[in-house]
Amino acid sequence: MKLGFIGMGNMALALAQGFIASGKCAACDMIAYAPNQEKLQANAARLGFVPASTAREVATAADMIVIACKPSHVEGVLAELGTAICDKALLSVALGWDFDRYAPLLPSGTRVQFVMPNTPAAVGEGVFLFEEKTSLTAAELATATEWLGALGTVITLPSAQMGIGGAVAGCGPAFVDMMIEAFADAGVKYGLSRENALKMTAQTVLGSAKLQLVTGKHPGELKDAVCSPGGSTIKGVTALEQAGFRANCISAIDAIMKK
């Protein structure tokens, strides 16, 4: 299968690198277009994909096309592509462009799947939210699920839940990064080097998340297992509760959903 990219920003690059590294798609079977041709040529030389001079060139050559341009550019790109995407499959990672928004703008036979990725996809630990409403064939959907599943976890959601899913999974990495930075700052405050503080905090977050995923235990149960009676951890937990830690996490999502 020939895979095309229209737009080659950070997310598209992460996907391309992941597909190549996982063996799901050879670099020579990828073709990509981006307005910044100089940057595109440099990335093509580094990764081995074929650079294109126009978006229509990508649409003509590829079987499946990843729409990864800026959301404000999608409508113009679709107009430019015209009938070149007839009978093609589109994977769209453009924020806000769900199935219903695409439907009236696509030529007959063009199929689409809205996917909402997050940045940890760059290291093979991403979350890919698939909108339940799709027009991909069963084979195309299976391929997309397999390829993106090699870069993280694929979760299918009803259209009405894509917004909250994006708030949690899409914005969540920024909140986790803030937490890592804060605990690392505390480590530095009490004498740790910045390098060691960041490394141990990030690994603790990674390990704790993996423990929850592997065991399937409720986070509260895992938290309780660390809290000895009268011990240090329960005192820290109490301080976080007094500061409204969990309520503030929920408030962050509330702020996104109310925007």
Side-chain angles (χ1 to χ4, degrees), residues 208-209 211-213 215-227:
S208 299
L211 183 63
Q212 195 282 319
L213 288 170
T215 64
K217 292 182 177 180
H218 191 281
E221 182 181 355
L222 295 173
K223 177 262 295 177
D224 288 349
V226 187
C227 293

Side-chain angles (χ1 to χ4, degrees), residues 60-72:
T60 301
D63 301 303
M64 184 175 287
I65 303 160
V66 179
I67 304 294
C69 57
K70 293 179 179 178
S72 59

Side-chain angles (χ1 to χ4, degrees), residues 67 73-83 85 90 97 101-102 105-107:
I67 304 294
H73 294 171
V74 171
E75 193 164 355
V77 166
L78 293 177
E80 178 186 347
L81 296 178
T83 57
I85 54 174
L90 308 182
W97 278 86
R101 191 171 179 186
Y102 268 105
L105 301 176
L106 297 178

Side-chain angles (χ1 to χ4, degrees), residues 136-224:
L136 295 189
T137 66
E140 289 165 345
L141 183 58
T143 297
T145 302
E146 179 188 349
W147 285 20
L148 292 174
L151 308 185
T153 299
V154 173
I155 299 172
T156 301
L157 293 177
S159 300
Q161 293 181 9
M162 289 294 284
I164 180 58
V168 173
C171 303
F175 308 147
V176 175
D177 289 337
M178 290 176 69
M179 184 177 71
I180 291 172
E181 182 183 29
F183 280 111
D185 280 348
V188 172
K189 178 180 179 180
Y190 286 98
L192 291 175
S193 69
R194 175 65 62 182
E195 179 183 5
N196 282 338
L198 282 170
K199 185 180 295 185
M200 68 179 66
T201 304
Q203 181 60 44
T204 298
V205 171
L206 176 63
S208 299
K210 187 169 184 178
L211 183 63
Q212 195 282 319
L213 288 170
V214 170
T215 64
K217 292 182 177 180
H218 191 281
E221 182 181 355
L222 295 173
K223 177 262 295 177
D224 288 349

